Amino acid sequence: LPRILFRGKKEVLTERILNLPAVKNVAYSSNVLGHGDGYNYLEIEESSTDLTTIWVDASFIDFYDLELVKGRFFSEDLSTDINTTALLNEAAVRAFDVEDPFQIEIKVPGGSAKAVGIAKDFHYKSLHHEIEPLAIIYLPGQGAYANMKISGYDIPNTLNAISEIWEELAPGFPFNYQFLDASFDNLYQSDAKMGKAVTLSSLIAIIIAVLGVMSLSLFLCESKVKEIALRKINGAMVWEVLLGLNKGILFNLLIAFCLACPVAWYIMGLWLDNFAYKTVISPWIFLLSGVIVSLITFGIVNWQTWRFANQNPAEALKYE
């Protein structure tokens, strides 16, 4: 919000925007969750910690559907709550390990805010980070950002209507906005880029591997074309010929699988270490990949071998 809205016309802005049929709720905050963090230094009984702090109005609680664990939320009916009450998350309570969390007081400009409620932990940063201590302080006069919940229908016209109100109340100031899901997506841009790079590299590796298997199977079949012909003359069935060639391929495939698994497990582990919350690398992932690779490999090899095994033996031996 520009100063002209932040200081004098915020109530008018709220009323005008809520009159739009597509706007469901409006709340104000000093910063955007997961985007810009304010920090406050908190001391209790000779222990201290850095808190992420955010100043909000009463609508913020319902807007983000925060879940209360203990105590109460802020009340618009109590003027004494203004700038004197705070909502802590469970991580903040654990950080101090005090017997009565409602004795916690946070230093704020002009005084201190006492904890009146404990909110259930929620992720307000990317999953690269553990849930950190958070203090939500009730100060309805504060709020540099307007949070708007709008209907998913006809979003362009809704944004145009909000922009027109904005231009009327704050002429000359640009109407800048972002969607919360896009804001959180930005926290994972590096992971998205890495995912695309890994996908592209994997596709290239698969194509090269398939071409290599096709070339190897063709070479093996051509080098053993006379052996295949002699086996068929002596009564060997096609499946026996296929089995003989698959044994050699299976041995090489097992060696490659045993070499690749530890390397893949190590690299995946290094990447997952960047996240505070991560999945476990299960053995079935490697087994599944091994089965898929085996099916592709044997499919290509058997296709090539089947072509040679069904040739007339006389064609292979006529020049001997």
Side-chain angles (χ1 to χ4, degrees):
L1 299 178
R3 186 173 296 273
I4 189 174
L5 286 175
F6 179 70
R7 293 296 182 187
K9 300 181 180 179
K10 193 159 57 176
E11 292 77 11
V12 178
L13 174 68
T14 303
E15 183 180 356
R16 294 280 301 277
I17 290 177
L18 285 176
N19 284 332
L20 298 175
V23 178
K24 298 181 177 181
N25 200 352
V26 177
Y28 292 92
S29 58
S30 60
N31 45 50
V32 179
L33 291 174
H35 193 58
D37 300 316
Y39 287 95
N40 205 331
Y41 190 67
L42 180 60
E43 292 187 16
I44 293 181
E45 298 177 358
E46 299 182 353
S47 62
S48 62
T49 188
D50 286 325
L51 275 177
T52 297
T53 55
I54 180 171
W55 283 263
V56 304
D57 64 356
S59 300
F60 186 89
I61 304 298
D62 290 333
F63 188 96
Y64 284 103
D65 196 21
L66 301 186
E67 186 175 339
L68 187 67
V69 177
K70 290 181 181 179
R72 65 177 178 88
F73 287 135
F74 313 127
S75 175
E76 290 181 297
D77 299 328
L78 297 176
S79 59
T80 54
D81 275 3
I82 298 175
N83 204 34
T84 61
T85 53
L87 189 67
L88 303 179
N89 66 348
E90 294 172 302
V93 176
R94 289 193 300 270
F96 287 101
D97 192 25
V98 293
E99 187 173 337
D100 184 7
F102 298 110
Q103 296 301 317
I104 296 177
E105 292 189 5
I106 302 166
K107 292 181 180 180
V108 297
S112 61
K114 192 172 183 178
V116 295
I118 310 299
K120 186 175 182 180
D121 279 339
F122 61 92
H123 294 279
Y124 59 93
K125 291 185 177 181
S126 76
L127 295 182
H128 291 279
H129 307 276
E130 292 185 0
I131 298 178
E132 299 175 355
L134 172 69
I136 302 173
I137 302 171
Y138 179 48
L139 187 59
Q142 177 62 273
Y145 291 91
N147 304 263
M148 303 179 188
K149 188 175 294 185
I150 65 175
S151 170
Y153 300 100
D154 202 11
I155 292 177
N157 284 334
T158 302
L159 292 176
N160 287 335
I162 296 173
S163 178
E164 290 175 1
I165 297 173
W166 182 282
E167 291 289 339
E168 183 180 339
L169 296 177
F173 291 93
F175 174 56
N176 295 320
Y177 66 90
Q178 60 182 340
F179 288 95
L180 188 62
D181 58 347
S183 178
F184 272 90
D185 283 344
N186 290 334
L187 301 177
Y188 300 97
Q189 284 300 309
S190 60
D191 301 304
K193 291 178 181 178
M194 181 178 178
K196 291 179 181 178
V198 170
T199 300
L200 181 60
S201 301
S202 299
L203 288 174
I204 294 174
I206 290 172
I207 292 173
I208 294 174
V210 168
L211 292 175
V213 171
M214 290 180 65
S215 301
L216 178 62
S217 61
L218 182 61
F219 172 78
L220 289 175
C221 289
E222 288 183 344
S223 64
K224 296 186 176 184
V225 63
K226 296 181 178 65
E227 177 184 337
I228 294 172
L230 290 172
R231 287 178 178 274
K232 289 199 66 179
I233 290 173
N234 285 285
M237 304 297 291
V238 173
W239 66 268
E240 292 177 317
V241 175
L242 296 178
L243 183 61
L245 290 176
N246 281 336
K247 286 181 180 179
I249 296 294
L250 178 61
F251 179 74
N252 293 328
L253 198 62
L254 286 174
I255 293 176
F257 182 75
C258 292
L259 292 175
C261 283
V263 175
W265 178 84
Y266 178 72
I267 294 175
M268 289 173 66
L270 289 179
W271 179 65
L272 288 174
D273 284 341
N274 292 319
F275 294 86
Y277 302 91
K278 49 183 177 282
T279 186
V280 177
I281 304 176
S282 302
W284 70 264
I285 296 175
F286 299 99
L287 294 175
L288 179 61
S289 63
V291 170
I292 293 174
V293 170
S294 299
L295 292 175
I296 294 173
T297 302
F298 288 128
I300 295 173
V301 171
N302 288 333
W303 173 63
Q304 295 277 25
T305 308
W306 182 84
R307 288 174 52 228
F308 281 86
N310 281 280
Q311 287 182 351
N312 188 345
E315 292 293 328
L317 300 173
K318 65 182 178 179
Y319 296 110
E320 291 298 318

